[in-house]
Amino acid sequence: MFFSRLDVRQKHLLAVFLTCLVALAVLARMLVTLGGHDYAYFLPRLLDNHLYYLASGLGVKEYTASFCAGIFEFANPQSLALSLPQLLAGLFGPVAGVQLTFILVSAAAGTGIYGCARFAGLNHMSATVSALLMAFSGFILTRMMIGHLTFFNVGFAPLVAMLMLYGVRAFADGRLAQSVACGGVASLLATSIVYGGAGVMILQIAVMIALLLVVCGGFAVRWHHWLRFFGGVSLAALMMSAPKLEAMLAVTGNLPRDMYPLPGVGLADLPLLFLQAVLWIPDTSLLNNILENTKFMLGWHEWNYSVSPVWLALMAGGLAMGWRAWFKQVKAARAWLVSSPLRTGATVLILLVPLVLNLYTPSWNAVLKAAPVLGDSSNMVRWLLIYPPVLCLLAGWAWRHLERVHLVPLLALAIGLALQQYFIHSDRLAAEISGYDRSLITEPWHSGQIKPIVAVGAPIKRTKDGKERPIVVSNFDHLFVGGSSNALCYEPMFGYRLENLDRRFLRVSTINVPDRNGLLPMKNPSCYVYPQENACRPGAHFTADQFDDLRMLTAYGDLPAKVSTLRGVLNMVAAVTLPLTILAAVVGMMRARRRKTGDDADGVAL
């Protein structure tokens, strides 16, 4: 019944969308196998969160006893406790949950770019080309294979931009119900990005959204319209995200990660960096050789921000086949550039940001190292992620001479992109996949057994001379399933080699045995986030008289710790803003639907 009501164009687009989903599902099944080295970090944390929800119900998980002898959870910028992968893993298990996450965020990224392209004036055919490129972007697949789960949030950025574009147009046209619906959903989606573990990428994602708004014409309406609408959406998202942001800033202030140099490349090597990392298949050895002032060599997955090597062929093919319209295309491009000097200037400046941040000179590097937030980074390569969406739009623009939706070429493009990404990634990443044994997590996950933490442990390596020494490796972060918290867990907030972890009183022991100073083996994780409020220093241990509090934490319960006054206020602000935003979005959608169907012809404004 539904299919019969669609016209030919809509049927073709639906066929492309379904083909895209099937191809993404095949890629997920074959490549996203949870064997990448960073799954040794994220899978144990997904399980730990799952056990917490089973034991304590849904809620905000502030701290956990399962890692590093006690650590913060909510304040961790990369926490997945309130994320889409955590939800899907809880419903379908960790393997299916992560694979579904890849499928959904890739489809969301493609849908967002399609909407942005249509708003910018591209026809359905060219917008679909852009969407397919974005859905099969190599950099999203790369991160999901290697285990950088928090990168799923990048896929939602184009969708946020699309909603804001249509929302500001509706606001300027007086369609208030539609603008409230779009703005409400956009702010909720942006909030989910913050809570979903994108703490180390918030600035990049925000710049990506801003770039799409500029390029696609979101500022073409009167200034007071875009200022009010974009300001309102941003304010709502900020108010809902405020508790998470405050906790993140609190813990990063107590545990600064400024111990690493900021690498970069020379001015002459910037074009090579862009060509290799963004437009082609990165050559790891070549890129690492041009990297200056670095302490670590970067793996292939850290360099790959390529949409697809097919991008160059698509651009060339589109321009060549549309040669009759070259004059119109050049004229249209020129009109876009000169019609709004402010928009053109803003676009150029934003596009230069990743290159400027990756430029290395001693004096410029000193400026970056002294800058807040940026100075705590270990590299600036991740800023390259703002390029793929714009490149996808540009490739679609090259095919704007095709007015009709051509089904066979689009299906061929979708399948071709999927095959290309399969062969690239199965070959390039085979050597980087550590072969992490996911059964260490999947088996206890499906057993459903909840064992409280009863001891602090550590993986031990015996040297050739017979001595034993603890080792720092993330492959042992699953020790909590047996009731032991890995004292030397892998946690980037402490540094890649745990440089910021206070080990003075850290020891292997059962949790109820104090040392001669009256300190228990477990650390009080609230001291990492709110040391003043809890009268302790970052890294402090529980004392013997705090054992009852510790026992609650080790049994997957809440720790009765204090938070800052500001955090308490922000909790209340978010608690009020969240339901109001949801209500506004739902009412806006209902009003917009009624008006579209003619039941509310007068368009009653909210």
Side-chain angles (χ1 to χ4, degrees), residues 321-346:
M321 293 186 67
W323 67 271
R324 295 179 183 274
W326 272 9
F327 178 75
K328 291 182 179 179
Q329 289 180 351
V330 172
K331 187 177 179 180
R334 181 178 179 277
W336 188 91
L337 291 171
V338 302
S339 62
S340 176
L342 184 61
R343 177 183 61 187
T344 302

Side-chain angles (χ1 to χ4, degrees), residues 13-67:
L13 291 175
L14 179 60
V16 174
F17 180 74
L18 294 177
T19 301
C20 182
L21 287 181
V22 172
L24 288 170
V26 172
L27 286 177
R29 178 69 175 175
M30 299 182 73
L31 296 179
V32 186
T33 59
L34 282 63
H37 62 75
D38 255 31
Y39 281 109
Y41 173 81
F42 283 110
L43 277 184
R45 281 150 181 80
L46 284 175
L47 175 58
D48 182 53
N49 297 332
H50 182 65
L51 295 178
Y52 171 84
Y53 293 134
L54 290 178
S56 300
L58 296 179
V60 176
K61 180 187 175 189
E62 292 281 354
Y63 308 105
T64 178
S66 300
F67 311 104

